[in-house]
Amino acid sequence: MKQFSKILKFELGGYLKNKAFVGITVFLVVATAIAMFIPNIISAFQSDKQGSAPPTELPVMLVHAQDSNLSRLVGEYFSEAFTDYSVTVADGTVDDVKAQITSGSAACAFVMSGASSYTYYVNNLNMWDANTAVADTVLQEVYRVNAMIQHGLTSEQAGEILSVRVESDTVTLGKDQMQNYFYTYIMIFALYMVILLYGQMVATNVATEKSSRAMEVLVTSAKPTSMMFGKVLASCIAGFSQLVLVFGSAILFYNLNKTNLSNPIIASIFDMPIALFIYLLVFFVLGFLIYAFLYGAIGSTASKLEDINTSVLPITFLFIIAFLVVMFSMIEGNVDSVLMQVCSYIPFTSPMAMFTRICMSTVAWYEIFISIAILIGSTIGIGVLSAKIYRVGVLLYGTPPKLSTIMKTVFKKS
């Protein structure tokens, strides 16, 4: 235990003294603060502009039709739909309407050739111009109103018939996937980035010690289990501390700007239930440990730093496949598929798969218990096995050995 605590303290101190680690953490916290204060900054600039600049007139939208009743009816509906324009019923000919647009006195025009057909005139068509899409929707209602008027109803009666609202209520007996989707996505992506980043760091640190022959001295004075668990837990604490600082600052800045961040999507991200947060901690720590042990074991078999990227590719591909399976299931809204249920009990995929199912579906308590139990047992087993590989890997130099050779040597030693 004494050896383990010394190694843990030494490795953790190395992370905290690392300028890159500290710099990235500070950058992420500052970037989070800027993102959370953007609404305040924008509103401050807008208030200054509104206070200093005189009010500007709305651009003119012309409506023209041979039938005066149709022109009036379309003008009324367009005035409600196009609030960014001053909608005006135009007299004269189509050429007069075109002349007003080319001269700049009008921004655009709808020339009605019938109740359900029109020509849209504009001088320079903006790539984001959505006026025709809005007009298509509005004119469908205008056509129905016009048809009702022709059959003897008044415009008020037609409007009442078409404006009837259907009242409905939705009762969710399980989980609301849309409400939980955003923070589930963020947490899964954060786990993905941390495992790839810190797993690579663990493998690189182990390979560096081996290439400098420092590992040969260390392994004779400390147990390989203490060394492996100390290195991996130190990286886990460093990564978790970084996430706590980033997400903790995000929660703090969100509460400071809550009134300006009234978007329901943003609110759902910071409205995670306590139970889900606890599950997040459990699956995050266990998922991180199981991959960090694998990265550390692979790093001990590499003789040179140049071999690290090639050596860890199988583990990286395994983790990327697990990430993609979860992401595609979330996008399709089918988190209870057979594939996801199977992945919920496989140690290499369960940290993401089971956590996603807990967030976005209804999972029985015993399924969660079995998944966590398998994950805990696998983490301990892989940790012990990685420590044995670590001890054997100290003596292996030259060409990176095959997995079968390593396993034979490990079990022969044990």
Side-chain angles (χ1 to χ4, degrees), residues 4-245:
F4 168 76
S5 60
K6 285 184 178 180
I7 294 171
L8 176 64
K9 185 177 180 180
F10 174 79
E11 293 290 337
L12 190 57
Y15 282 106
L16 298 178
K17 293 176 183 178
N18 190 311
K19 293 182 179 179
F21 173 82
V22 176
I24 291 173
T25 305
V26 172
F27 170 77
L28 291 175
V29 172
V30 172
T32 303
I34 293 173
M36 290 299 172
F37 280 97
I38 280 178
N40 284 347
I41 298 172
I42 293 176
S43 60
F45 278 106
Q46 286 179 344
S47 61
D48 291 341
K49 290 180 180 179
Q50 290 173 356
S52 59
T56 57
E57 294 182 358
L58 294 176
V60 176
M61 174 186 288
L62 300 177
V63 174
H64 179 272
Q66 295 295 331
D67 186 348
S68 59
N69 290 328
L70 180 60
S71 295
R72 178 186 56 80
L73 189 61
V74 172
E76 290 176 359
Y77 276 84
F78 274 23
S79 296
E80 296 179 2
F82 294 100
T83 55
D84 294 335
Y85 289 90
S86 175
V87 180
T88 305
V89 176
D91 297 325
T93 64
V94 176
D95 291 333
D96 295 333
V97 172
K98 294 180 182 178
Q100 292 186 59
I101 294 174
T102 54
S103 66
S105 58
C108 58
F110 286 89
V111 176
M112 308 297 301
S113 55
S116 59
S117 60
Y118 66 86
T119 301
Y120 179 61
Y121 290 96
V122 63
N123 195 25
N124 296 310
L125 182 62
N126 190 295
M127 62 183 297
W128 306 112
D129 193 327
N131 289 342
T132 55
V134 176
D136 290 345
T137 303
V138 174
L139 289 175
Q140 286 181 354
E141 186 173 352
V142 173
Y143 179 83
R144 297 188 186 103
V145 172
N146 193 47
M148 291 179 182
I149 292 174
Q150 291 178 359
H151 284 80
L153 294 177
T154 64
S155 59
E156 290 77 13
Q157 291 173 329
E160 289 178 2
I161 294 173
L162 293 175
S163 63
V164 63
R165 293 185 179 180
V166 178
E167 296 182 0
S168 65
D169 192 14
T170 301
V171 178
T172 304
L173 300 178
K175 300 286 181 64
D176 185 351
Q177 290 191 357
M178 182 55 67
Q179 180 181 359
N180 299 350
Y181 176 85
F182 296 101
Y183 61 69
T184 305
Y185 178 87
I186 290 174
M187 296 307 169
I188 293 297
F189 192 76
L191 178 61
Y192 172 80
M193 294 301 296
V194 168
I195 286 179
L196 287 184
L197 175 63
Y198 285 93
Q200 188 80 17
M201 289 178 66
V202 170
T204 302
N205 289 341
V206 172
T208 302
E209 290 178 356
K210 181 178 178 179
S211 62
S212 64
R213 302 282 179 167
M215 189 187 294
E216 296 179 7
V217 178
L218 292 172
V219 80
T220 57
S221 58
K223 295 180 179 180
T225 306
S226 298
M227 294 183 64
M228 177 60 73
F229 276 78
K231 289 178 178 295
V232 170
L233 287 178
S235 64
C236 180
I237 293 172
F240 187 72
S241 300
Q242 192 175 54
L243 284 183
V244 168
L245 283 173

Side-chain angles (χ1 to χ4, degrees), residues 93-404:
T93 64
V94 176
D95 291 333
D96 295 333
V97 172
K98 294 180 182 178
Q100 292 186 59
I101 294 174
T102 54
S103 66
S105 58
C108 58
F110 286 89
V111 176
M112 308 297 301
S113 55
S116 59
S117 60
Y118 66 86
T119 301
Y120 179 61
Y121 290 96
V122 63
N123 195 25
N124 296 310
L125 182 62
N126 190 295
M127 62 183 297
W128 306 112
D129 193 327
N131 289 342
T132 55
V134 176
D136 290 345
T137 303
V138 174
L139 289 175
Q140 286 181 354
E141 186 173 352
V142 173
Y143 179 83
R144 297 188 186 103
V145 172
N146 193 47
M148 291 179 182
I149 292 174
Q150 291 178 359
H151 284 80
L153 294 177
T154 64
S155 59
E156 290 77 13
Q157 291 173 329
E160 289 178 2
I161 294 173
L162 293 175
S163 63
V164 63
R165 293 185 179 180
V166 178
E167 296 182 0
S168 65
D169 192 14
T170 301
V171 178
T172 304
L173 300 178
K175 300 286 181 64
D176 185 351
Q177 290 191 357
M178 182 55 67
Q179 180 181 359
N180 299 350
Y181 176 85
F182 296 101
Y183 61 69
T184 305
Y185 178 87
I186 290 174
M187 296 307 169
I188 293 297
F189 192 76
L191 178 61
Y192 172 80
M193 294 301 296
V194 168
I195 286 179
L196 287 184
L197 175 63
Y198 285 93
Q200 188 80 17
M201 289 178 66
V202 170
T204 302
N205 289 341
V206 172
T208 302
E209 290 178 356
K210 181 178 178 179
S211 62
S212 64
R213 302 282 179 167
M215 189 187 294
E216 296 179 7
V217 178
L218 292 172
V219 80
T220 57
S221 58
K223 295 180 179 180
T225 306
S226 298
M227 294 183 64
M228 177 60 73
F229 276 78
K231 289 178 178 295
V232 170
L233 287 178
S235 64
C236 180
I237 293 172
F240 187 72
S241 300
Q242 192 175 54
L243 284 183
V244 168
L245 283 173
V246 173
F247 285 105
S249 61
I251 294 172
L252 173 63
F253 298 139
Y254 169 75
N255 289 322
L256 292 175
N257 299 275
K258 202 168 185 178
T259 54
N260 293 319
L261 295 170
S262 56
N263 190 298
I265 295 177
I266 298 177
S268 68
I269 294 174
F270 292 94
D271 193 24
M272 176 183 285
I274 299 298
L276 290 183
F277 184 73
I278 295 173
Y279 283 127
L280 169 67
L281 297 181
V282 172
F283 284 107
F284 176 88
V285 172
L286 294 175
F288 180 90
L289 289 176
I290 199 169
Y291 276 97
F293 282 130
L294 291 174
Y295 274 106
I298 296 298
S300 66
T301 63
S303 301
K304 299 179 294 183
L305 287 176
E306 292 80 3
D307 298 332
I308 285 293
N309 293 331
T310 305
S311 300
V312 301
L313 272 181
I315 302 174
T316 303
F317 280 139
L318 175 64
F319 184 63
I320 291 175
I321 290 171
F323 174 76
L324 292 177
V325 168
V326 173
M327 284 292 104
F328 283 127
S329 299
M330 288 179 61
I331 293 171
E332 294 176 357
N334 189 18
V335 296
D336 280 328
S337 63
V338 176
L339 180 60
M340 282 289 285
Q341 292 184 29
V342 172
C343 290
S344 298
Y345 302 103
I346 300 175
F348 304 111
T349 57
S350 60
M352 291 186 290
M354 180 55 82
F355 176 70
T356 301
R357 289 184 61 209
I358 293 172
C359 291
M360 301 183 66
S361 180
T362 302
V363 185
W365 67 268
Y366 59 85
E367 295 184 48
I368 302 174
F369 177 80
I370 293 173
S371 178
I372 294 176
I374 293 174
L375 190 56
I376 291 174
S378 301
T379 302
I380 295 173
I382 290 176
V384 174
L385 180 62
S386 298
K388 293 181 178 181
I389 295 175
Y390 179 85
R391 184 175 182 84
V392 172
V394 176
L395 306 175
L396 297 176
Y397 288 92
T399 304
K402 296 181 179 179
L403 180 62
S404 57

